[in-house]
Amino acid sequence: MIGLFLGTLRWDDVTFVEFWRTPDLNNAIAAAAAGLLVLGVVATLILLTVRGWWRPLWRDWLTSLDHKKIGIMYVALALVMFARAVAEANVMRAHQATAALDAGLVAPDHFAELFSTHGTIMIFLVAMPLLTGIMNFVMPLQIGARDVSFPLLNAISLMLTAAAAGLVMVSLVLGHFSTGGWSGYPPYTGADISPGEGPDYWIWALTLSSIGSTLTGMNFAVTLYKRRVQGMHLFRMPLFCWTVLCTSILMIFAMAPLTLATLMLWLDRHAGFHFFTVGSGGDMMNFANLFWLFGHPEVYILILPAFGVWSEVFSTFSGKRLFGYLSLVYATMAIAVLSFTVWLHHFFTMGQSANVNAAFGIATMLIGVPTGVKVYDWLLTMMFGRVRLRVPMLFANYFLVTFLLGGVTGVLLANPTVDYGVHNSLFLVAHFHNMLIPGTLFAMLAAIHLWFPKAFGFRLHEGWGRAVFWLMAPGFLLAFMPLYAMGMMGGMRRTAYFSDPLFRPWLWAAEAGAVLILAGFAALVVQIVVSVRRRDALAVPAGDPWDGRSLEWLGPAPAFEFNFAGEPKVEDVDAFTALKAQGEAYRRQETYEDIEMPRNSAVPVVIGALAGLAAFAMVWQAWATAALAFAGVWAVVIGRSFVRDTERTIPAAEVEAAHRAWLADVAAATPVHRRDELTPENRGLAEEPL
Amino acid sequence: MSDVRHPGLNLGTTDSPVHDAAEETVFGFWVLMMSDLALFAVLFATYAAMSVHGIAGGPAPVEIFDLKSTLWQTLALLASSFTFGMAALALKYDDDRRALSLWLGATFVLGALFLGLEARDWARMVTEHGATPQVSGFLSIFYLLTGTHFVHVAAGLLWMLVMAAQLAIFGLDGAVKLRLMRLAIYWHLLDVVWVAIFSFVFLSGLAP
Ligand code: HEM
Ligand SMILES: [Cu+2]
């Protein structure tokens, strides 16, 4: 009976008990990680209680349906998860560097768990929430909308993602995560070879987060199609919005194969089905195809929003209209379409004929063409511009150089004959980190620097931002260039021990790079703390700290809850620049209207909690708990559909008061020249262009 | 206001505020259904591979499929699409909620009939041929594909019950109309998917 509710969960599964029973270094590291997590949670709870922050947290954040707050919560979640994943990367690096001659820090199984959680977290719980958060915050503002099309669903997506993060975190304390890598290939992850709870943690974390992403994709696509303000034709959207659109479409179609693949794996493991088993008609290739049918579009989900961010950064900090807008739009769409035609390059070595490989290899190389177009457009945006090397621009220029390098190694890998040599080697690990770190991660850091003032009302401290850059930039090169070399020397990925002494210097270099990146992250945390402390000097209440070009910079910082007091006028791609040039950016309005906004709701939190519980129960085969929690999710959904009073009205008078207060701030601010952008004189009002 | 705002039933002038609201809501639902269709597409693709390569000495499609029973299932489901179409017309043109409720009721009954017939079919396969999903890769994907459709239809029935309650409580107001319009899309789409299953799984599985 109890088994139905607790499943296979036992005391022995608690990481601390494991350490108690076998107190060696490996278990000590696991117990320390679990202890850190528990301490962190307890400390957060105490802090919230002592400061009396529970109410504001609940009222202003967790139950909020405001797209801006949801966006910020996504980013916060991602940064917490990043702390864990980057720490794990450092443990792996330290282990490999010291493990060449003796046992090293962790046992082989533990090493496998580390690269599996690191990869899974980095992709699904760092990169995805980061870009979903930025898209959430920025996109509705850029198209002049008050919110996304389905605000409640938006919050549900967030809470499902948070539940996935919770599940992966719990695996630190209870039991073990998968050792099958972020791609979880069977038969290794099947019941015969991995009978424990590990692959189930992986399966359900991915399921939760991919359902969240599907809903996000739908929500954003509809918002972009239906919520653009009058005058904002598709071809007047900021380029970032185009990348959001393409990303959303990829999310709509690419998540289904993943959900299916993980569901099938679960059926194989627990219900005796034969999708991927050896024998009885199962076929591992089904998994490879399904997983990468998702996996390749996924890498473009990760990179397209980054391209959007870079486009905004280059044009803003060059003080110039984006070069080749149309070509960038078409290139983005071309990449999105092509991304569905190349999945096979992830398994060139798994038995197709040479002709099939060649076809997919060529398709893969084709993606280099639109990507190349983009790189030229960005370069030409800077040409003849007044380039300002602010933190986002430092990252952007670094990106141009390093991303080119990663792109070239990608084209190399796209050649099946070359791939046979370096498949699954450290060369590949170097390649994809080369795309993901300078591409996605640094774009998101640039985005945080760019839009932070709009979210919180003050700029981030520039000096500490440069420190972040100057730690992470060389850190990346040091951490991953050696991997190209080791890959060519025959070093394989997911290897716990390298005994060849030739690898030693490379491994130490990579370790040093990992430490630098970790230090860069620490600098980011310091930067946020310092900026909060000095927020008065960094404040930009007038709302336009960077002489911005698109609509999100119209209005105060932080933004109005309702985004815009009236409907902004759009007559150009650079809508805000045009408004400023015409002297219409800071006009009084004749009339104000009531604004309808969605009421707060606890439904997303409850759904997230129940879905997380259901997933956790599935991991431990506690069927009754799982069934109850799952039924609970749907009961809440159905119950919510009977709630009628879901909107609240912000009266026109309130809108007017807020708008006037902002205009007063604008009147009080002195327009600053870009030269003085970083001084306290910058209150968010840009000097008129000449 | 008579323009078409989205594929499917448009309310047009009969209820223009809801017609306007439908543009975004119904479009969003269509988009969501596209991802659902992607799910079925991948299931079909897997079926295509495994129904040939995954038999592994177990029963083959020809041995276990029963065309007559599946034909009845198909007819029940097609008829339910027709009755839902009538319900939609009642929704648009009739102020009288009785017709709407009756047609919805008929749809529910036909949907339930479909589920019953399909469950009976599975039971027959298991008892007569020992064809459980654990036997072979082919049977695994067969049950997953038809089972996914089955669960969708069952969810549709639950949705109908909820809508019956909402009709009773709120009457035919804007929100209820919008939900019924989405339920209609959902229901017809399941029909389309079933037609694909019928042709692609059963007919071609039985073809000599
Ligand atoms: C911040 C610095 C980072 C360091 C030092 C680092 C280090 C590593 C290491 C040592 C591995 C294992 C390589 C092996 O298999 O031998 C790895 C794997 C991986 N990393 Fe990172 N990584 C970093 C950032 C990232 C980021 C930002 C992402 C994605 C957004 C990422 C995604 C992955 C993935 C997907 C894997 C593959 C896991 C697997 O084998 O299943 N990493 N990383
Ligand atoms: Cu790929």
Side-chain angles (χ1 to χ4, degrees):
Chain A
M1 197 47 211
I2 288 249
L4 279 178
F5 290 96
L6 279 185
T8 54
L9 190 56
R10 296 290 173 273
W11 277 116
D12 290 5
D13 294 316
V14 181
T15 309
F16 305 116
V17 177
E18 225 176 305
F19 173 57
W20 178 262
R21 300 249 154 97
T22 333
D24 56 12
L25 180 60
N26 177 54
N27 282 342
I29 290 176
L36 267 180
L37 172 66
V38 174
L39 272 184
V41 171
V42 172
T44 313
L45 295 184
I46 293 178
L47 184 74
L48 288 173
T49 312
V50 172
R51 292 274 177 129
W53 281 347
W54 280 108
R55 264 180 145 268
L57 177 71
W58 179 257
R59 195 190 48 214
D60 299 338
W61 292 93
L62 296 180
T63 59
S64 170
L65 304 189
D66 180 341
H67 71 95
K68 301 183 285 300
K69 292 195 169 158
I70 292 176
I72 292 168
M73 284 188 277
Y74 264 115
V75 173
L77 175 72
L79 290 180
V80 172
M81 297 310 285
F82 185 75
R84 172 173 168 192
V86 84
E88 287 173 334
N90 273 267
V91 174
M92 282 191 281
R93 282 272 145 269
H95 167 81
Q96 281 185 333
T98 53
L101 303 174
D102 50 39
L105 299 177
V106 292
D109 252 14
H110 192 173
F111 184 82
E113 209 180 321
L114 283 170
F115 67 67
S116 305
T117 44
H118 165 81
T120 307
I121 292 177
M122 279 294 192
I123 300 285
F124 293 98
L125 299 167
V126 173
M128 292 292 272
L130 268 180
L131 60 92
T132 310
I134 300 287
M135 298 196 295
N136 240 312
F137 184 86
V138 176
M139 180 270 284
L141 285 166
Q142 284 196 332
I143 60 171
R146 293 209 193 287
D147 208 321
V148 295
S149 287
F150 305 104
L152 183 78
L153 208 57
N154 199 18
I156 292 177
S157 299
L158 166 67
M159 292 304 165
L160 289 176
T161 312
L167 196 64
V168 179
M169 281 306 203
V170 166
S171 78
L172 269 184
V173 183
L174 298 175
H176 293 276
F177 198 77
S178 174
T179 50
W182 87 282
S183 49
Y185 273 17
Y188 178 76
T189 48
D192 294 338
I193 305 179
S194 304
E197 68 285 352
D200 296 308
Y201 266 124
W202 177 81
I203 287 174
W204 293 108
L206 260 58
T207 305
L208 287 173
S209 92
S210 67
I211 294 174
S213 297
T214 310
L215 298 177
T216 297
M218 184 280 271
N219 211 341
F220 288 0
V222 175
T223 306
L224 281 162
Y225 279 120
K226 299 294 182 188
R227 288 254 161 148
R228 277 169 289 122
V229 71
Q230 189 105 40
M232 177 72 71
H233 329 145
L234 283 175
F235 283 99
R236 280 188 190 156
M237 293 199 304
L239 202 92
F240 180 71
C241 290
W242 273 106
T243 61
V244 176
L245 182 60
C246 290
T247 302
S248 307
I249 294 173
L250 293 184
M251 284 179 172
I252 293 164
F253 290 105
M255 291 297 158
L258 176 67
T259 311
L260 197 63
T262 49
L263 174 69
M264 287 172 165
L265 183 60
W266 183 83
L267 287 170
D268 271 7
R269 287 173 56 79
H270 295 288
F273 282 48
H274 293 288
F275 293 108
F276 316 128
T277 54
V278 181
S280 298
D283 186 350
M284 186 280 157
M285 288 315 292
N286 288 327
F287 186 89
N289 277 294
L290 288 173
F291 185 83
W292 291 109
L293 205 49
F294 143 78
H296 193 86
E298 167 69 15
V299 306
Y300 284 92
I301 292 174
L302 296 177
I303 204 64
L304 287 179
F307 288 168
V309 169
W310 296 130
S311 302
E312 305 295 311
V313 167
F314 280 117
S315 78
T316 306
F317 292 100
S318 303
K320 197 161 154 265
R321 180 186 280 268
L322 191 61
F323 184 92
Y325 173 86
L326 265 190
S327 65
L328 280 165
V329 170
Y330 287 123
T332 305
M333 292 199 284
I335 292 175
V337 172
L338 282 175
S339 75
F340 277 103
T341 64
V342 299
W343 78 91
L344 192 136
H345 63 210
H346 293 273
F347 46 93
F348 279 144
T349 54
M350 283 163 73
Q352 305 74 223
S353 73
N355 287 339
V356 172
N357 276 353
F360 278 88
I362 291 167
T364 304
M365 291 178 195
L366 276 181
I367 295 193
V369 177
T371 314
V373 168
K374 291 188 163 210
V375 170
Y376 282 109
D377 280 335
W378 290 323
L379 286 170
L380 291 167
T381 302
M382 285 193 290
M383 194 157 89
F384 304 130
R386 298 182 138 251
V387 174
R388 302 169 348 251
L389 284 180
R390 309 292 173 244
V391 174
M393 199 59 162
L394 289 176
F395 277 116
N397 280 284
Y398 179 84
F399 154 81
L400 277 182
V401 180
T402 44
F403 196 76
L404 179 68
L405 185 66
V408 170
T409 58
V411 174
L412 279 174
L413 285 166
N415 184 331
T417 31
V418 175
D419 186 66
Y420 261 82
V422 286
H423 179 68
N424 262 354
S425 71
L426 291 176
F427 188 88
L428 169 83
V429 175
H431 160 70
F432 70 68
H433 282 89
N434 200 162
M435 305 316 259
L436 289 169
I437 294 179
T440 307
L441 183 66
F442 287 179
M444 294 306 131
L445 291 180
I448 290 174
H449 282 84
L450 176 63
W451 283 301
F452 188 92
K454 189 67 190 178
F456 295 102
F458 52 96
R459 288 178 287 118
L460 281 172
H461 189 274
E462 184 80 3
W464 277 102
R466 291 202 189 122
V468 175
F469 173 77
W470 285 111
L471 286 166
M472 288 209 178
F476 161 72
L477 289 173
L478 207 52
F480 289 99
M481 293 309 115
L483 269 65
Y484 280 123
M486 283 191 282
M488 304 259 247
M489 290 156 68
M492 295 308 283
R493 74 188 291 199
R494 297 176 179 170
T495 304
Y497 301 99
F498 292 105
S499 50
D500 188 341
L502 278 180
F503 280 21
R504 267 276 154 123
W506 297 115
L507 285 168
W508 276 107
E511 156 73 355
V515 171
L516 281 182
I517 295 177
L518 186 66
F521 181 61
L524 182 72
V525 176
V526 174
Q527 181 193 25
I528 294 174
V529 174
V530 169
S531 310
V532 172
R533 290 239 173 105
R534 304 197 190 161
R535 59 186 174 278
D536 291 334
L538 295 167
V540 287
D544 179 24
W546 314 120
D547 195 8
R549 313 183 70 80
S550 36
L551 281 185
E552 77 269 30
W553 302 110
L554 171 64
F560 292 130
E561 178 193 5
F562 39 84
N563 289 0
F564 302 97
E567 288 213 338
K569 192 175 80 173
V570 179
E571 291 179 343
D572 188 63
V573 175
D574 290 337
F576 186 50
T577 305
L579 284 177
K580 284 190 280 191
Q582 297 160 2
E584 292 188 24
Y586 304 107
R587 278 264 171 86
R588 275 211 182 156
Q589 263 171 243
E590 302 292 318
T591 56
Y592 293 86
E593 282 173 11
D594 291 355
I595 295 176
E596 296 263 294
M597 297 297 286
R599 259 183 213 290
N600 281 16
S601 168
V603 164
V605 181
V606 178
I607 289 184
L610 285 172
L613 176 64
F616 178 73
M618 289 302 282
V619 169
W620 292 98
Q621 306 179 35
W623 309 128
T625 312
L628 284 176
F630 184 74
V633 170
W634 286 103
V636 174
V637 171
I638 292 174
R640 163 76 191 190
S641 76
F642 285 85
V643 178
R644 285 302 160 120
D645 183 20
T646 58
E647 303 263 299
R648 91 201 140 83
T649 309
I650 302 176
E654 209 176 293
V655 178
E656 176 165 6
H659 194 230
R660 283 179 189 248
W662 169 55
L663 288 180
D665 281 339
V666 171
T670 4
V672 289
H673 191 271
R674 284 305 100 197
R675 186 181 52 223
D676 305 323
E677 188 169 53
L678 299 176
T679 64
E681 272 75 71
N682 184 357
R683 308 298 287 175
L685 187 63
E687 202 170 65
E688 296 233 347
L690 296 174
Chain B
M1 275 294 166
S2 63
D3 51 337
V4 175
R5 294 284 170 87
H6 51 83
L9 179 84
N10 274 239
L11 290 184
T13 47
T14 61
D15 189 342
S16 38
V18 179
H19 181 54
D20 290 343
E23 175 170 354
E24 187 174 30
T25 318
V26 174
F27 177 65
F29 193 73
W30 269 107
V31 174
L32 197 63
M33 285 301 99
M34 290 307 106
S35 82
D36 212 31
L37 277 190
L39 185 79
F40 277 109
V42 190
L43 279 168
F44 276 115
T46 316
Y47 184 85
M50 298 197 88
S51 60
V52 182
H53 301 297
I55 295 183
V62 227
E63 294 164 44
I64 53 169
F65 291 166
D66 173 1
L67 194 56
K68 202 146 80 190
S69 166
T70 36
L71 183 65
W72 282 115
Q73 290 164 39
T74 309
L75 289 177
L77 213 52
L78 285 180
S80 81
S81 249
F82 172 75
T83 51
F84 209 131
M86 296 307 286
L89 289 178
L91 167 81
K92 179 166 180 178
Y93 294 109
D94 250 0
D95 288 336
D96 160 27
R97 258 192 290 140
R98 267 227 318 273
L100 174 61
S101 311
L102 278 178
W103 285 118
L104 273 184
T107 311
F108 185 92
V109 170
L110 286 165
L113 178 66
F114 168 84
L115 291 187
L117 287 173
E118 185 165 27
R120 198 189 58 165
D121 230 22
W122 287 339
R124 181 188 53 75
M125 289 182 206
V126 170
T127 48
E128 284 179 21
H129 304 277
T132 62
Q134 289 80 10
V135 169
S136 70
F138 153 63
L139 285 170
S140 295
I141 185 64
F142 168 77
Y143 282 103
L144 185 62
L145 171 58
T146 50
T148 305
H149 181 265
F150 184 96
V151 171
H152 273 76
V153 174
L157 293 186
L158 178 63
W159 190 350
M160 275 178 214
L161 291 179
V162 173
M163 290 321 297
Q166 298 206 343
L167 268 173
I169 297 173
F170 304 114
L172 194 53
D173 68 357
V176 172
K177 278 188 188 173
L178 281 177
R179 290 195 180 128
L180 283 170
M181 286 160 77
R182 279 174 281 175
L183 177 55
I185 293 168
Y186 180 76
W187 196 256
H188 295 310
L189 221 63
L190 288 182
D191 220 12
V192 173
V193 171
W194 178 259
V195 171
I197 293 179
F198 181 64
S199 341
F200 192 68
V201 173
F202 293 103
L203 283 185
S204 67
L206 288 169

